[in-house]
Amino acid sequence: MRYEELTGLVQDRAQLPDRQSAERAIRATLETLAERIPGGLADHMAAQLPHEAGEPLRRVAAAHEGTPEERAYRRDHGERFGLTGFAGRIAWRTERTEEEALREAAAFFEVLDSAMDPELMEKLYGVLPNDIRGLLPEARAEQDARAERDTRTERGSRTERGSQAERG
């Protein structure tokens, strides 16, 4: 996927006014993601993205600060923060609200899902905490399926109760 296509898709999915807004959302989401995930995974993801999109991942992964032990830990594990921290960092970088930041990040993850190797997306899914993972298309599909099953189960229970009431 070319960079122009990536930014255009994010702009459309996030309903952003212009390409620059899409670029800010992509850069902020990838910088924040690079802080949260292991450095090796960030490097692998950067290799699969257009050069301009992969740059924030490479830059942040290479710039981890701290003692040698802290840098080694972050390289292997990433920083620990949840959805609130994730949203706050993206919002700060884009100068948007946290709600807008999460909406734009979710739109970016939809595009990323179609641009990346499925095995790499599975690894990303595996290293993120549940709350951030909920932004990924796979997690949202699972949530939708669970909600649909729950709705069908609830409808079935109501139908069965209605039948018993008619017989009783």
Side-chain angles (χ1 to χ4, degrees):
M1 178 179 290
R2 293 183 352 268
Y3 183 68
E4 294 77 22
E5 183 182 2
L6 179 77
T7 56
L9 288 169
V10 170
Q11 181 182 347
D12 289 344
R13 292 224 171 102
Q15 300 175 352
L16 296 168
D18 53 43
R19 179 180 163 168
Q20 291 76 21
S21 298
E23 289 175 335
R24 266 192 307 276
I26 292 167
R27 187 174 43 255
T29 303
L30 286 172
E31 287 172 352
T32 304
L33 191 62
E35 292 169 342
R36 182 61 184 84
I37 64 176
L41 180 56
D43 291 337
H44 287 299
M45 289 179 65
Q48 288 198 11
L49 291 170
H51 180 75
E52 302 94 321
E55 182 57 30
L57 287 166
R58 285 187 287 276
R59 185 173 25 80
V60 171
H64 284 301
E65 297 178 3
T67 67
E69 294 81 18
E70 290 171 333
R71 285 195 308 269
Y73 181 84
R74 287 189 188 131
R75 184 186 59 244
D76 294 341
H77 304 285
E79 289 182 50
R80 296 289 177 233
F81 54 84
L83 186 62
T84 302
F86 192 76
R89 290 175 189 219
I90 295 172
W92 177 78
R93 287 179 166 125
T94 59
E95 298 180 352
R96 311 274 286 171
T97 67
E98 289 185 6
E99 185 177 297
E100 291 167 326
L102 289 175
R103 181 179 50 80
E104 293 166 11
F108 170 70
F109 283 134
E110 284 181 31
V111 175
L112 184 69
D113 189 55
S114 64
M116 301 286 286
D117 176 53
E119 188 175 305
L120 200 52
M121 286 302 292
E122 191 68 33
K123 287 180 181 178
L124 176 62
Y125 187 85
V127 299
L128 293 174
N130 289 337
D131 55 356
I132 298 174
R133 194 182 301 156
L135 297 172
L136 298 172
E138 181 178 334
R140 289 199 311 274
E142 288 176 8
Q143 290 169 349
D144 291 347
R146 258 194 312 275
E148 178 64 28
R149 277 194 309 273
D150 292 347
T151 301
R152 275 186 272 153
T153 301
E154 187 178 308
R155 271 192 231 131
S157 295
R158 275 188 268 153
T159 303
E160 189 175 311
R161 283 192 304 263
S163 296
Q164 288 174 353
E166 287 174 10
R167 283 181 264 162

